[in-house]
Amino acid sequence: MGEVFLGEYGAGKSEVSAGRAILLAGRGLPVTVADLDLTDPVFRISQAAEKLAAYGVKVIGWPERYPPGMGEAGNVLFPGLLGIGWLSGEIIIDVGYGTESHRLLNLIPGLAALNPLFYFVINCRQPLTATVPGIIEAARRVPGIHGFVNNTHLGKDTDLDLIKSGAEKIEEASAATGIPYIATASFKPLAAEMEQTDYKWHEIWPLYGLVHGSFPIK
Amino acid sequence: MARIVDDDQRMFMTGNEVLAWAALAAGAEIMYGYPITPQNEIMHYWTRLAPRFERGFLQTEDELSAGFTTLGGVMAGKRAFSATSGPGDILMQEPICMAEMMRIPAVWIIQQRGAPSTATVIYGQQETRLACFGGNGEGHRVVYSTSSHQELFDYLIKAFNTAWSYRFPTILLGDGYQGKMREAVTLYNPEDHGVKLVPTEPFVGRPGVPGVDRAPAHYRNTFNIEEEIYEIVHAREEEFEALTPQIVEFESGYLDEAEMILIGHGIVSRAIKEAVKLLQNKGVKVGYFRPVTLRPFPVEELRKAVEKVPAVMVFESALGQLLSMVKEAVGGLPVKIEAFLRPGVGICTDEAAEQVQEYLRKSSMVH
Amino acid sequence: MENKTSGSATSESKTGFTTRTVVTPNEAMPKVWRRETKPHRFCPGCGHPIILKALAQAVEELDIQGRTVFGCDIGCSLLAWDFFNLDSIQTHHGRTTPVIAGLKRARPDLIGVAYMGDGGGYAIGSQHLLNAAMRNDRVTVILCNNTVYAMTGGQMAPTTLPTQKTETTPYGRDPAMTGEPTLGPELMAAIGRKGAYAARGTVANYRQLVKFTKKALENQLADRGFSFLEVLSTCPTNWRTTPRQTWDFVEDDMTRVYKVGEFLKPEDEK
């Protein structure tokens, strides 16, 4: 099975991909993450490869500290990604932002064999997806979305009310588009609190902040 | 000008996106640009948003052209800007020099990257000197060095107002970290916060027939002899110095009884502020000083801050560019100047604190 | 990171993904290619290596490996900085033409090749290209036209086709706002002096590409004039295309705008 994570620039696709991978690996499934983010040499899920390895998750992408494109940009495709269509187990594909970035999947032969589900990650605290019409417009730019993932947050200023305000907008956008609202993602402590509430968060996907601290600062 | 948000909106986004929204909020009417990392997303978001807000964009053939087309846009009376980095910043210096001499209120965003490589697009503070003194002039420009997404938003709006108020080219100096990292920021319409946008006016193309209805506009940056330029450069310097108290900005803390003051600008100032808090909690008496404007430099303010301090330590992701400005500013004062210089590499809170403690330990052993 | 592997090796990469690197002397690989730097660093499906292979073959057939200096630009062409067993200089964006032109003036016995992308040649370095052509500098410029700024993430280039979506034309290129695609060889043919050569090849026709590359080098060898070769190339990464769509784009969409052939020959009357 394959799951593809798409969304606006900085919506949290990589962080959500990492959280989803850990969740699936925790169920005893073999999980591989494919780093198809061709935007930046930084803030990539492959920089969290070592941390993900601790959860039994494999990552395919440029090795950490190996700057693709000789550091000029992140925009060189890692050749190993061409083979992911033939891998077994759960394959999670983290796609970077960009004009028609969903079409990056054209680069992966054999993708159809994975029967991938396309998840659209939304942070309602981003200007372009801050309103219901904004979410609908952003989702329309990407054909074939199977589900929304709510990743509404304000970094360390996030609380349950804020996530809920995002959830309500996504519910509305879901009703208008017919695209199901699949899950709500949040950092682990808040995800634990969520479970205590009677609000319908759909599935809860805990996040671990693995990509967040991956800036190669030293 | 259309409002960009209904009311104040707390958002979580990358710095380059913040700058695209800030330019909209500042009433910028047209951007001229050329692709270069790490500022590309300013252009990407501007080109996405521009039609919605009826703003203009031109992708030029290079940064020289982007800089000079920006000057053309400003002289037509538009709030125009450009954004660049690294090698592009070098090419921008010729138009910035023209803007300095002709007092053209253009605005530039510079996202610094590691230098002088043609790649290394992630981060650096090695364009500090270039931003302040690039070109063959005397640095008659305003440079704001930001340290957070909120400052990117606030200071880009301010940069347009500074440029159009004082008619000096104005630069917002960021870096790749600020461009690419994500954090919370409040987007707002300037007028909701009592910020009035300074009106623009055209240099050329005003109503009426030149020579008939009005005097023709004649602008030049050509002078006959050096004695003539001598007069003009002196006059510029006097004007710039006279405006300095109105423009200059700095931030400082814990200066009283400090054994050492940490100095840094831009994103590095965040690390040193945190380091100072960390050390204060341990009972170590240290303070910080951060120039927000690098041009004009807060000379008087820095001298006042360090006059009773035995030592300062300058932190920067460059090999002594801020350091030389600090040395010049505090010249003649009996303060020891230490430095932690990391060209192209970031500085973390804990390593800044470690450097300071190490120095204080050694100096107490000497006494 | 240098790949110094030779022979066969299995390595555990940092990603935890086991890769088997097999580097065998391949008869199909031109001798001028530097085996130690293969596999190359371009994306899968990229046209650059085909152009570089044609160049290697031409250099080999003309037996000028010992006197050829290869210059490359910023953008994806920089990934060729250690591609060949040739003395090579990676310069700044758009500045490869003047660096090689300067080299040629100082050492006319050397064969100077300036390799660049469409952004480097037709945008930021366009004044150098025009003036080198007008001076009839005895250098060979090879320009890879893939319709985008690829390395910076797929922005509009001077060669972007009308309606093509890029990061700075998210709603499609509108020629009314940004002009029509730049026609380089046609321009070079118009301004070129007697003895100059201007052609457009394509990675879709390798034999012809080798022929054009050889002519562009021979013209310099014969000291006749400036030589310019544009090559239609592929960029599936930024076009976001499948292999079939990639070929369709280069063979149909691009050749509708960009005619393949020779536009100026050294023997032409000017």
Side-chain angles (χ1 to χ4, degrees):
Chain A
M1 280 293 285
E3 293 181 7
V4 176
F5 288 87
L6 298 152
E8 283 291 334
Y9 186 36
K13 298 176 290 294
S14 301
E15 201 63 71
V16 170
S17 300
R20 178 65 174 156
I22 292 170
L23 188 73
L24 293 175
R27 294 175 190 165
L29 298 165
V31 184
T32 307
V33 176
D35 179 2
L36 198 56
D37 182 344
L38 298 176
T39 311
D40 286 325
V42 292
F43 279 133
R44 313 165 64 84
I45 198 166
S46 35
Q47 289 172 327
E50 276 180 43
K51 294 174 203 161
L52 281 166
Y55 295 92
V57 174
K58 279 186 189 168
V59 177
I60 301 179
W62 292 104
E64 196 173 4
R65 317 285 286 143
Y66 185 118
M70 286 187 68
E72 171 62 8
N75 208 39
V76 177
L77 184 70
F78 182 66
L81 292 166
L82 296 196
I84 61 173
W86 288 275
L87 291 177
S88 55
E90 299 295 315
I91 315 297
I92 289 178
I93 305 174
D94 174 24
V95 181
Y97 97 107
T99 301
E100 305 206 307
S101 63
H102 58 278
R103 290 183 51 226
L104 278 170
L105 297 161
N106 279 334
L107 301 174
I108 311 296
L111 186 75
L114 297 173
N115 289 320
L117 295 170
F118 290 58
Y119 291 145
F120 196 71
V121 179
I122 299 162
N123 180 355
C124 294
R125 289 297 174 155
Q126 289 194 290
L128 293 172
T129 50
T131 60
V132 175
I135 296 167
I136 294 169
E137 196 198 317
R140 285 223 175 101
R141 286 161 59 95
V142 185
I145 299 172
H146 295 100
F148 290 135
V149 177
N150 177 14
N151 186 36
T152 299
H153 74 102
L154 271 175
K156 59 184 184 334
D157 302 335
T158 311
D159 58 29
L160 285 189
D161 286 343
L162 186 100
I163 301 172
K164 196 173 157 194
S165 73
E168 284 162 357
K169 285 177 194 164
I170 293 168
E171 287 276 9
E172 216 177 302
S174 173
T177 56
I179 298 168
Y181 176 171
I182 299 292
T184 306
S186 186
F187 282 95
K188 222 182 161 190
L190 275 176
E193 269 183 57
M194 262 185 233
E195 285 172 6
Q196 311 300 316
T197 65
D198 54 7
Y199 186 78
K200 189 168 176 290
W201 300 103
H202 305 271
E203 212 179 347
I204 296 170
W205 293 356
L207 305 180
Y208 298 79
L210 300 184
V211 182
H212 171 73
S214 70
F215 229 124
I217 210 161
K218 287 183 185 180
Chain B
M1 209 43 88
R3 294 169 65 81
I4 60 150
V5 282
D6 293 337
D7 45 26
D8 290 13
Q9 297 264 348
R10 193 98 175 120
M11 293 292 169
F12 192 84
M13 56 209 281
T14 66
N16 283 338
E17 287 171 277
V18 171
L19 287 165
W21 285 94
L24 289 173
E29 290 158 285
I30 186 162
M31 177 185 188
Y32 301 89
Y34 185 77
I36 191 161
T37 317
Q39 66 77 43
N40 287 318
E41 297 80 18
I42 303 174
M43 286 199 312
H44 296 176
Y45 275 81
W46 182 264
T47 51
R48 236 176 111 178
L49 297 168
R52 190 185 297 184
F53 291 91
E54 294 177 324
R55 315 292 170 94
F57 175 74
L58 178 67
Q59 184 177 322
T60 57
E61 67 275 22
D62 64 8
E63 289 89 348
L64 265 176
S65 179
F68 282 109
T69 47
T70 304
L71 299 188
V74 172
M75 294 186 87
K78 301 291 182 192
R79 235 184 222 90
F81 76 108
S82 188
T84 190
S85 175
D89 188 5
I90 301 172
L91 298 187
M92 285 289 179
Q93 294 304 322
E94 192 187 343
I96 296 174
C97 278
M98 176 167 152
E100 277 184 359
M101 197 56 177
M102 296 173 66
R103 302 288 294 271
I104 301 169
V107 170
W108 277 272
I109 299 164
I110 294 170
Q111 298 289 42
Q112 301 171 88
R113 60 191 233 180
S117 158
T118 54
T120 54
V121 297
I122 297 171
Y123 167 76
Q125 288 191 317
Q126 294 170 279
E127 291 161 59
T128 301
R129 198 178 278 137
L130 190 64
C132 295
F133 295 105
N136 55 351
E138 305 291 345
H140 292 141
R141 51 182 80 171
V142 178
V143 179
Y144 292 110
S145 175
T146 54
S147 74
S148 68
H149 283 19
Q150 196 60 55
E151 287 186 359
L152 290 176
F153 192 80
D154 298 346
Y155 278 94
L156 188 61
I157 294 168
K158 186 178 264 186
F160 280 98
N161 275 353
T162 300
W164 283 95
S165 296
Y166 307 115
R167 301 293 172 102
F168 280 109
T170 302
I171 291 168
L172 185 139
L173 184 66
D175 57 65
Y177 281 172
Q178 292 188 62
K180 301 277 188 180
M181 72 182 190
R182 296 113 223 245
E183 67 180 356
V185 58
T186 302
L187 305 187
Y188 55 83
N189 297 297
E191 61 271 23
D192 297 350
H193 285 239
V195 179
K196 219 169 148 261
L197 299 181
V198 176
T200 64
E201 53 178 354
F203 286 57
V204 293
R206 289 167 186 263
V209 179
V212 178
D213 305 320
R214 61 173 172 85
H218 289 147
Y219 293 97
R220 62 165 173 162
N221 185 17
T222 300
F223 299 92
N224 292 309
I225 51 171
E226 276 71 1
E227 280 72 8
E228 208 178 339
I229 209 83
Y230 170 90
E231 300 281 336
I232 294 163
V233 170
H234 266 297
R236 284 280 176 285
E237 180 69 8
E238 274 170 32
E239 285 173 275
F240 195 75
E241 277 186 8
L243 289 171
T244 292
Q246 293 166 58
I247 299 172
V248 81
E249 286 187 41
F250 71 101
E251 201 191 344
S252 63
Y254 306 96
L255 297 181
D256 296 341
E257 294 173 42
E259 288 178 69
M260 173 174 254
I261 288 177
L262 285 66
I263 303 172
H265 78 93
I267 199 160
V268 170
S269 70
R270 277 171 83 156
I272 65 167
K273 272 161 70 177
E274 289 302 312
V276 164
K277 283 178 203 161
L278 200 83
L279 292 167
Q280 283 282 350
N281 287 340
K282 289 183 182 174
V284 185
K285 287 202 160 26
V286 289
Y288 68 85
F289 186 94
R290 168 205 172 197
V292 176
T293 51
L294 296 175
R295 286 292 295 159
F297 197 81
V299 176
E300 294 312 316
E301 296 78 1
L302 179 61
R303 289 181 73 86
K304 195 161 168 285
V306 307
E307 63 189 357
K308 289 177 190 146
V309 177
V312 299
M313 191 176 279
V314 177
F315 293 84
E316 61 174 319
S317 299
L319 208 54
Q321 304 198 11
L322 175 66
L323 177 65
S324 62
M325 293 181 201
V326 169
K327 279 181 178 168
E328 193 186 324
V330 306
L333 291 177
V335 59
K336 197 164 180 325
I337 301 170
E338 292 290 313
F340 187 59
L341 308 175
R342 312 244 298 159
V345 180
I347 295 173
C348 295
T349 301
D350 51 352
E351 53 188 354
E354 216 169 274
Q355 288 296 317
V356 173
Q357 279 188 302
E358 183 66 21
Y359 172 80
L360 293 176
R361 200 177 301 126
K362 277 186 188 158
S363 63
S364 69
M365 272 156 59
V366 174
H367 289 309
Chain C
M1 195 184 290
E2 291 259 343
N3 181 356
K4 298 275 188 203
T5 320
S6 61
S8 170
T10 303
S11 62
E12 182 80 8
S13 78
K14 271 198 161 180
T15 56
F17 183 65
T18 306
T19 53
R20 186 170 171 82
T21 317
V22 182
V23 183
T24 51
N26 186 336
E27 287 307 311
M29 198 187 282
K31 287 189 193 67
V32 181
W33 274 30
R34 187 162 177 79
R35 292 195 162 77
E36 289 83 348
T37 59
K38 305 296 167 297
H40 61 68
R41 299 188 190 84
F42 296 97
C43 294
C46 176
H48 273 289
I50 302 175
I51 305 171
L52 297 171
K53 183 174 178 182
L55 174 62
Q57 194 176 328
V59 166
E60 219 163 282
E61 288 176 17
L62 295 169
D63 195 21
I64 51 171
Q65 186 175 358
R67 51 191 286 219
T68 301
V69 175
F70 175 77
C72 60
D73 212 74
I74 266 287
C76 293
S77 78
L78 75 85
L79 296 174
W81 76 280
D82 60 352
F83 197 90
F84 296 116
N85 281 316
L86 293 175
D87 289 343
S88 305
I89 310 168
Q90 183 263 318
T91 77
H92 284 206
H93 195 25
R95 314 304 174 202
T96 309
T97 307
V99 169
I100 297 300
L103 183 93
K104 183 72 182 181
R105 290 286 165 139
R107 282 283 303 276
D109 57 309
L110 296 175
I111 301 300
V113 178
Y115 185 59
M116 64 200 66
D118 34 27
Y122 295 151
I124 193 165
S126 55
Q127 74 275 45
H128 307 313
L129 192 59
L130 288 185
N131 285 289
M134 289 193 279
R135 285 192 303 261
N136 219 4
D137 277 330
R138 270 45 164 186
V139 296
T140 301
V141 174
I142 301 176
L143 185 147
C144 168
N145 173 359
N146 59 12
T147 76
V148 283
Y149 282 84
M151 187 66 97
T152 43
Q155 294 84 6
M156 182 188 79
T159 47
T160 298
L161 300 185
T163 75
Q164 189 179 341
K165 285 182 183 175
T166 71
E167 290 300 334
T168 51
T169 55
Y171 309 105
R173 182 176 188 177
D174 176 4
M177 299 294 290
T178 57
E180 296 287 342
T182 299
L183 300 175
E186 289 86 340
L187 178 66
M188 292 298 123
I191 65 166
R193 305 301 192 204
K194 182 150 179 58
Y197 177 74
R200 182 183 287 118
T202 168
V203 296
N205 187 342
Y206 181 72
R207 273 194 206 168
Q208 183 196 52
L209 179 59
V210 174
K211 193 177 92 186
F212 288 174
T213 309
K214 266 176 91 170
K215 283 177 114 171
L217 289 169
E218 277 168 338
N219 200 36
Q220 187 182 162
L221 274 164
D223 196 30
R224 281 194 295 251
F226 181 73
S227 304
F228 180 77
L229 173 63
E230 179 190 295
V231 187
L232 304 183
S233 185
T234 53
C235 184
T237 299
N238 282 293
W239 298 349
R240 316 207 191 299
T241 42
T242 64
R244 175 173 286 276
Q245 291 166 340
T246 304
W247 278 128
D248 286 348
F249 193 78
V250 75
E251 292 198 286
D252 297 340
D253 300 66
M254 284 179 78
T255 49
R256 244 192 308 271
V257 176
Y258 301 115
K259 302 295 170 215
V260 174
E262 292 174 305
F263 295 83
L264 178 64
K265 293 181 194 166
E267 57 274 19
D268 289 349
E269 284 302 324
K270 282 291 283 191

